[in-house]
Amino acid sequence: MKLFVLYILFSFCICFSQAQYPRGTEAAATRWADSVYSSLSNEQRIAQLMVVRLSTIDGNRKVVFFDKQVDSLIDRYNIGGIVVFQGSPVMQANILNQLQAKAKTPLLMCIDAEWGLGMRIIDSVLPLPRQMMLGAVQDETIVYQYGQVVADQCKRMNIHVNYAPVIDVNNNPNNPVINDRSFGEDKYKVARFGMEYMRGMQDNGVLACAKHFPGHGDVSVDSHYDLPVINKTMAQLESLELYPFRKLVDAGIGSAMVAHLYIPAIDTTANRATSLSPANINGLLRSSLHFEGLTFTDALEMQGVKKFFPDGAASVQSLIAGNDMLCLPGDVPLAIEKITEAIANKRLSWKDIELHCKKVLLAKYIYTLPHLVPIKTTNLAEDLNRYVPYMRRLIAENAITLVAKNNPAFFPFTNAASQETACLIIGSDTANGFARRMQTDHHANLFYLNYKIKDSVLIANLLTKVKAYKNIIIGIHNFSRVPNNNFGISNEAVQLVNNLAGNNSIIFQFGNAYAAKNWCKAPNLVICYEDDAIIQNTAIDLLQGKLKYKGTLPVTVCDNLEFGTGITGNFNLPSVNPKEVGLDAAKLNIIDSIAYDAISRKAIPGAVILAVKDGKIAYQKAFGTESFTSNKPVTLSSVFDMASVTKICATTISLMKLYEESKLDFKKTLGDYLAWTRGSNKENITVEQMLLHQGGLSAFIPFHRETLDKAGVPKPGTFSPTYTDSFSIPVAANMFMRTTWRDTMYKRILQSPLGEAGKYVYSDNDFILLGKIVEAISGMSLDSYVRKNFYEPMGLNSAGFLPMDHMPLAQIIPTEDEKQFRIQLLQGYVHDPGAAMFGGVSGHAGLFSNAYDIASIMQMLLNGGEINGHRYLQKSTVDLFTAYHSEISRRGYGFDKPEKDNATRKEPYPTLSSSPLTFGHTGFTGTCTWADPANNILFVFLSNRVNSVTPDLFLKMSVRPKVHETIYQAVIK
């Protein structure tokens, strides 16, 4: 038996190490678990298996805390964990700090927060969209980001376990307990999205939990109130319900929650829930699926088990079945007493308790010991909400689903005449964000019907009034998440909507997709899944054509609205099998060996590589980790500091836009556009000279060196660790530059030596000044201008300056551990010192992006200024800027190009097979992108090579040129 216990514990260590357990520390973890276990009394060993409730909501909807009761249980029994429920963040934090400080053994802090901490900590914290809305998204990397955001929230509250994701396949529209908590009805999508959610959390230090095993999706009874029955054969369960669990177990999920279900195919014992069944847990979950992580019961206070196993009996049977942790066991002293009796009666053994207790302790070693510092309450609510608006908007843009489209007038809708447009709000008496936008943007007249109105005369009059309008926009709001009583939607509302559902109307349904069964035949119908201001405003942006519809139904609603239904605008870059675009997959796979070689030789810690042929992604892979000291993997959604790629993917495309609007003249000078340069020897440099790097400007001004002492440490007086009006420019974490120093930098540019005009000198200063010209002409900051004119209408989610303003820090790859100047790990702050001192927005550097968004920008240019049915630039403008324009260099206007004598060069640039039409740029941090119109090939390489002890090795190994040439060699002749 002892050998068996050791084997299980070793397997458990391996299970956790697959996700994030520090390699080589398994022995230390086991020693710690053994030591703590030896120090516990028998009662305490049992209590370590119990997770108790911290709060609830009473009959008056007020939060009631049980901190005194929990404190007593810690004192007396040394219980194992706490489940966090409702309450304000600061109050929760203060209580958790007190309880954790008192505990003799670290408490495992758990939360049931499937859609973020706003699901539970409802005071001050906004929720994320539920999993059904996520299931409508096509890009699964967004689900990984979602997991990152949830992990960030959990870590901020020192929560170690989140009971998520739900990987139940919801194939019963009347399911009262799962429903919109599921990713949908397709087992493959549920599995894929579940894995991404899991990885997003576990890669960032929070234990994920697959639930509700063995599958809660096909029930019509709520297990909170009774025991649901699933009459399926094992073959049926294997083919559907168990599929996502097998996949997540194989992927390394650290824990699972077992459901309260009665499934005779698994266990025929009358009224024995799967959570209490040895056949289900020790048999199916452990022996068949080979799961060795932690198992939690679903809440034992639920009637699905309590009804048949009262007064501590459920706790006993849970352990007999093989569970590790008892979630909400109710009366803890009684449960311990009953478990002790069961051991005395030989229904359980102390070896069973040892096995479970040591597994719990190992989990604590991994997840609690590194995070035992008290929760800081300063700005707690702000921090918990920090990335929620970004994530809600991102999901809304990718999930909102157009399921019926018959009237082109709504795609896009441009009408702005009040006598022609009515907006009918169902489910409310007042204007919400959707109605206000319709009124402001389209001068719509507003009408309302709530679900309480039954007056047939009033409704008939409303119908007559609304029908008189040429265009009818219907918003359906404020209905229930659950299917009972038709989601709370009145028959009168259903009838009114269907009476108006014609070609001249479009319905936006804000809530559970299943509710669309009420208007399945509507000619123009959009499912928005949830109802808040962000989603409502995104729906208006879609209506107006500012965004493309991307979502597809995650569930079947009715015969004509099946799973996968969704009329989508084409993605910027769809993915295909390489063979479809004439590329040899086997030859493309040589890229893998180049990347792995660079990583193994420590030239780069990781990379993302993307290749596009004929407008379709043929190769897209992520390699390595974000640094050599981290085991956090690089992913396809990872965001990198683009360095000088900023010059083309931000500044140059902005100049192109201004040029074709006749607002920019190549022959005009700095003095014409920037008054502050007049009187200097720089005022007569032309725009064309700067675009070609032939204006005589010096290559680089090390602005930061003037602020440093001989040791490379910032001098006093230039920087402050906190923000003030006088120190307002953030150059790194807790490092703000004196506001007036920016003027000093412009002064240094004007004072710098001026070289020979017409001589080629690649210069950052050219593009610093070109960025200022964009701002002077447009009246907008460079980041705002390029975002408004390119990134937002193209649906680019990561491309932009100042990345921490619009995405989670965990998504951004750390660029370098800077040893001088900022003396810290640079993550989310631009690597280039000058760009940092300009506040993170500059014409030469500051852009951050993932590979997909850079490829989208380049594909737009490769297409002659158009992508996804929308034109951003004229083809003539693109052709002009991307052509050669210098007799003495390889430069185009802003763009880098191949050397003109590539065929005879020892080291061709960017690679031997690139045609003379090729255009692009490289970045100092280890990035590049190149587009070749002659071969219709596009290449993106992103890495953080400067986050290396030997950053120049990357250049000596010619990693980017080798990968680039491999793509050409993969073309099937």
Side-chain angles (χ1 to χ4, degrees):
M1 184 66 181
K2 185 175 182 180
L3 287 174
F4 174 71
V5 170
L6 290 173
Y7 167 75
I8 292 296
L9 292 175
F10 176 75
S11 299
F12 182 70
C13 286
I14 297 300
C15 173
F16 271 102
S17 70
Q18 289 173 354
Q20 60 176 43
Y21 198 39
R23 292 186 181 278
T25 59
E26 290 91 344
T30 303
R31 285 196 299 273
W32 183 85
D34 287 344
S35 172
V36 173
Y37 180 81
S38 298
S39 71
L40 300 174
S41 69
N42 282 341
E43 275 193 339
Q44 290 174 333
R45 290 167 178 171
I46 295 171
Q48 279 292 301
L49 313 182
M50 297 186 178
V51 188
V52 301
R53 176 186 288 276
L54 184 59
S55 64
T56 191
I57 295 180
D58 66 15
N60 297 316
R61 304 302 297 168
K62 291 185 178 180
V63 176
V64 178
F65 277 94
F66 303 124
D67 46 311
K68 292 182 180 178
Q69 295 91 322
V70 174
D71 185 281
S72 175
L73 292 173
I74 292 170
D75 236 4
R76 182 176 173 188
Y77 296 109
N78 199 11
I79 55 168
I82 293 172
V83 182
V84 176
F85 285 96
Q86 297 83 2
S88 73
V90 171
M91 183 174 287
Q92 294 270 19
N94 287 330
I95 293 172
L96 293 177
N97 284 340
Q98 293 166 10
L99 296 176
Q100 190 69 275
K102 184 169 188 177
K104 304 177 189 69
T105 305
L107 290 160
L108 196 65
M109 300 298 186
C110 308
I111 194 166
D112 185 9
E114 298 156 15
W115 50 93
L117 267 62
M119 174 183 172
R120 292 300 179 190
I121 306 176
I122 54 177
D123 179 357
S124 309
V125 183
L126 298 170
L128 291 163
R130 296 176 182 84
Q131 287 187 196
M132 177 183 277
M133 191 170 188
L134 273 175
V137 170
Q138 299 300 293
D139 181 359
E140 60 199 56
T141 64
I142 291 172
V143 186
Y144 182 89
Q145 294 179 52
Y146 185 99
Q148 287 179 306
V149 171
V150 176
D152 183 78
Q153 289 182 320
C154 288
K155 287 164 68 176
R156 183 64 180 84
M157 282 289 292
N158 280 2
I159 290 170
H160 315 115
V161 184
N162 184 18
Y163 296 148
V166 171
I167 54 170
D168 303 308
V169 181
N170 198 83
N171 55 352
N172 185 339
N174 296 316
N175 192 321
V177 64
I178 303 302
N179 212 286
D180 65 355
R181 296 165 64 193
S182 167
F183 289 117
E185 69 180 47
D186 179 71
K187 67 179 181 180
Y188 302 108
K189 194 166 197 177
V190 169
R192 290 200 320 273
F193 280 29
M195 282 189 281
E196 292 303 318
Y197 191 169
M198 172 202 81
R199 288 173 178 143
M201 286 196 292
Q202 292 192 170
D203 288 351
N204 291 280
V206 175
L207 181 63
C209 181
K211 68 181 189 183
H212 306 80
F213 185 82
H216 211 308
D218 194 6
V219 302
S220 55
V221 172
D222 188 339
S223 51
H224 289 86
Y225 306 108
D226 208 339
L227 181 61
V229 178
I230 298 179
N231 285 308
K232 290 190 174 184
T233 65
M234 277 306 302
Q236 289 173 318
L237 294 171
E238 286 284 0
S239 69
L240 185 67
E241 278 84 356
L242 292 174
Y243 179 84
F245 290 96
R246 286 191 182 277
K247 288 297 182 181
L248 266 73
V249 168
D250 291 344
I253 195 158
S255 73
M257 177 172 282
V258 189
H260 305 320
L261 304 167
Y262 180 57
I263 308 178
I266 296 175
D267 191 332
T268 58
T269 308
N271 299 321
R272 180 185 282 172
T274 45
S275 54
L276 312 184
S277 168
N280 183 54
I281 299 164
N282 282 334
L284 182 58
L285 180 57
R286 299 212 183 277
S287 297
S288 179
L289 270 66
H290 308 294
F291 177 67
E292 297 297 347
L294 274 184
T295 56
F296 294 87
T297 67
D298 206 343
L300 295 177
E301 64 186 17
M302 293 163 63
Q303 289 301 313
V305 290
K306 191 174 181 181
K307 179 178 178 180
F308 303 104
F309 290 81
D311 303 325
S315 294
V316 172
Q317 188 59 40
S318 295
L319 293 177
I320 292 172
N323 285 297
D324 298 308
M325 298 207 81
L326 312 180
C327 189
L328 310 187
D331 188 333
V332 170
L334 179 61
I336 292 174
E337 178 187 332
K338 294 292 184 180
I339 291 166
T340 305
E341 288 177 6
I343 294 170
N345 295 331
K346 302 192 182 306
R347 297 174 64 204
L348 277 168
S349 72
W350 286 113
K351 289 296 181 184
D352 296 325
I353 303 301
E354 179 183 0
L355 167 65
H356 299 308
C357 185
K358 286 187 176 180
K359 284 179 68 176
V360 171
L361 292 171
L362 281 170
K364 291 186 175 188
Y365 182 90
I366 300 164
Y367 289 99
T368 67
L369 288 191
H371 308 290
L372 283 179
V373 295
I375 306 162
K376 295 179 180 178
T377 57
T378 304
N379 298 324
L380 180 57
E382 292 87 344
D383 291 345
L384 292 173
N385 282 308
R386 183 174 182 182
Y387 300 119
V388 174
Y390 158 80
M391 204 70 231
R392 288 162 79 181
R393 173 71 181 191
L394 177 62
I395 292 167
E397 289 179 357
N398 284 271
I400 293 176
T401 307
L402 174 62
V403 295
K405 173 184 177 182
N406 280 284
N407 186 349
F410 292 121
F411 307 100
F413 184 67
T414 58
N415 187 282
S418 60
Q419 69 273 20
E420 293 188 344
T421 302
C423 177
L424 174 61
I425 301 298
I426 302 289
S428 176
D429 293 321
T430 57
N432 54 22
F434 184 79
R436 285 191 292 271
R437 278 286 299 277
M438 285 302 306
Q439 193 172 46
T440 301
D441 297 3
H442 298 282
H443 306 294
N445 288 318
L446 304 181
F447 300 88
Y448 305 93
L449 179 76
N450 69 43
Y451 301 126
K452 295 179 181 178
I453 294 176
K454 308 293 183 181
D455 188 325
S456 60
V457 175
L458 187 153
I459 294 171
N461 288 337
L462 179 60
L463 176 63
T464 301
K465 288 178 183 178
V466 174
K467 264 196 168 181
Y469 286 82
K470 179 181 177 182
N471 307 301
I472 303 169
I473 316 294
I474 302 172
I476 301 171
H477 303 270
N478 298 326
F479 55 91
S480 173
R481 290 178 45 228
V482 295
N484 298 348
N485 193 29
N486 192 30
F487 301 92
I489 302 171
S490 66
N491 293 333
E492 290 77 10
V494 172
Q495 186 174 354
L496 177 61
V497 170
N498 282 317
N499 283 336
L500 292 169
N503 259 2
N504 70 327
S505 69
I506 183 168
I507 298 170
F508 286 83
Q509 177 186 293
F510 293 92
N512 192 317
Y514 284 124
K517 68 181 182 178
N518 289 295
W519 25 79
C520 277
K521 304 298 183 182
N524 303 290
L525 176 60
V526 180
I527 309 297
C528 301
Y529 301 98
E530 300 209 19
D531 197 1
D532 61 47
I534 290 174
I535 292 166
Q536 291 165 15
N537 277 289
T538 306
I540 295 291
D541 289 343
L542 286 157
L543 175 66
Q544 295 172 346
K546 295 177 181 177
L547 302 168
K548 301 291 184 182
Y549 290 96
K550 296 179 181 179
T552 59
L553 279 177
V555 293
T556 295
V557 176
C558 36
D559 289 344
N560 64 312
L561 300 180
E562 296 181 329
F563 166 81
T565 300
I567 303 166
T568 60
N570 294 325
F571 285 107
N572 291 338
L573 297 167
S575 297
V576 296
N577 186 300
K579 189 174 182 180
E580 290 184 35
V581 289
L583 293 176
D584 186 323
K587 290 183 178 179
L588 282 178
N589 286 337
I590 295 171
I591 295 171
D592 296 26
S593 61
I594 298 171
Y596 286 126
D597 183 46
I599 292 168
S600 66
R601 294 174 62 181
K602 296 195 179 301
I604 52 173
V608 176
I609 304 172
L610 186 151
V612 178
K613 178 76 164 64
D614 299 336
K616 298 172 182 177
I617 297 173
Y619 181 96
Q620 184 179 209
K621 290 186 181 179
F623 301 90
T625 57
E626 62 178 24
S627 71
F628 290 120
T629 57
S630 169
N631 60 3
K632 182 181 174 183
V634 174
T635 71
L636 295 179
S637 61
S638 293
V639 170
F640 290 77
D641 182 334
M642 298 307 303
S644 285
V645 174
T646 304
K647 293 181 171 76
I648 63 169
C649 289
T651 310
T652 299
I653 60 174
S654 298
L655 293 166
M656 293 165 79
K657 182 77 173 172
L658 294 170
Y659 168 81
E660 68 179 33
E661 292 174 346
S662 300
K663 297 176 181 176
L664 178 74
D665 186 333
F666 288 167
K667 302 305 179 184
K668 285 191 174 181
T669 66
L670 270 175
D672 291 324
Y673 291 111
L674 303 178
W676 52 271
T677 67
R678 295 169 192 165
S680 74
N681 61 357
K682 313 296 188 304
E683 70 171 320
N684 292 320
I685 300 173
T686 67
V687 170
E688 183 176 38
Q689 287 174 323
M690 287 187 290
L691 284 167
L692 295 172
H693 298 280
Q694 292 179 194
L697 289 167
S698 55
F700 170 69
I701 298 175
F703 301 106
H704 66 292
R705 290 182 188 168
E706 195 173 337
T707 71
L708 307 179
D709 61 21
K710 291 181 180 180
V713 176
K715 299 173 184 175
T718 309
F719 300 95
S720 167
T722 57
Y723 174 93
T724 67
D725 288 343
S726 298
F727 293 87
S728 64
I729 301 172
V731 298
N734 304 315
M735 190 174 182
F736 297 87
M737 189 179 76
R738 182 181 290 278
T739 307
T740 56
W741 234 92
R742 186 152 39 192
D743 293 334
T744 302
M745 294 164 67
Y746 291 126
K747 185 177 179 181
R748 295 293 180 265
I749 293 176
L750 296 183
Q751 294 173 338
S752 64
L754 186 65
E756 178 186 345
K759 181 180 179 181
Y760 172 68
V761 176
Y762 176 75
S763 172
D764 283 343
N765 293 313
D766 285 315
F767 272 79
I768 291 171
L769 294 171
L770 285 168
K772 298 308 292 181
I773 288 175
V774 171
E775 296 181 347
I777 295 173
S778 69
M780 302 171 67
S781 62
L782 174 63
D783 59 320
S784 297
Y785 182 83
V786 73
R787 183 176 68 248
K788 177 182 177 181
N789 287 282
F790 294 97
Y791 303 157
E792 284 186 351
M794 288 177 70
L796 308 185
N797 298 313
S798 70
F801 295 82
L802 306 174
M804 291 184 292
D805 287 353
H806 62 275
M807 70 180 70
L809 183 65
Q811 192 182 344
I812 307 167
I813 297 295
T815 311
E816 182 185 15
D817 191 358
E818 193 174 69
K819 303 303 182 185
Q820 289 191 328
F821 181 32
R822 289 167 283 186
I823 316 176
Q824 61 180 268
L825 182 68
L826 299 176
Q827 184 175 13
Y829 293 91
V830 60
H831 174 264
D832 182 272
M837 294 170 74
F838 281 119
V841 179
S842 185
H844 73 297
L847 181 66
F848 285 74
S849 182
N850 63 23
Y852 182 90
D853 283 2
I854 293 297
S856 296
I857 296 168
M858 295 299 285
Q859 187 65 49
M860 178 270 291
L861 297 170
L862 197 55
N863 293 346
E866 182 271 340
I867 195 168
N868 209 0
H870 186 87
R871 180 160 293 283
Y872 297 88
L873 296 166
Q874 297 301 315
K875 186 177 187 302
S876 59
T877 305
V878 177
D879 291 344
L880 175 67
F881 273 74
T882 60
Y884 289 111
H885 287 287
S886 175
E887 296 297 325
I888 61 172
S889 82
R890 62 177 187 256
R891 289 280 163 173
Y893 287 146
F895 291 94
D896 201 359
K897 291 183 64 62
E899 293 288 359
K900 296 172 183 176
D901 59 348
N902 251 354
T904 59
R905 288 178 70 91
K906 182 179 179 181
E907 295 184 3
Y909 180 86
T911 189
L912 177 63
S913 297
S914 56
S915 81
L917 296 178
T918 299
F919 56 90
H921 218 287
T922 59
F924 182 81
T925 52
T927 61
C928 78
T929 182
W930 295 98
D932 184 347
N935 295 286
N936 216 3
I937 286 174
L938 192 162
F939 164 53
V940 179
F941 187 104
L942 304 185
S943 75
N944 53 339
R945 64 105 180 175
V946 289
N947 200 358
S948 166
V949 179
T950 55
D952 290 342
L953 180 60
F954 174 76
L955 304 177
K956 292 176 182 177
M957 291 178 66
S958 299
V959 178
R960 289 175 293 195
K962 286 178 182 177
V963 173
H964 198 180
E965 185 63 26
T966 300
I967 298 168
Y968 282 102
Q969 296 305 315
V971 175
I972 299 171
K973 305 295 193 286

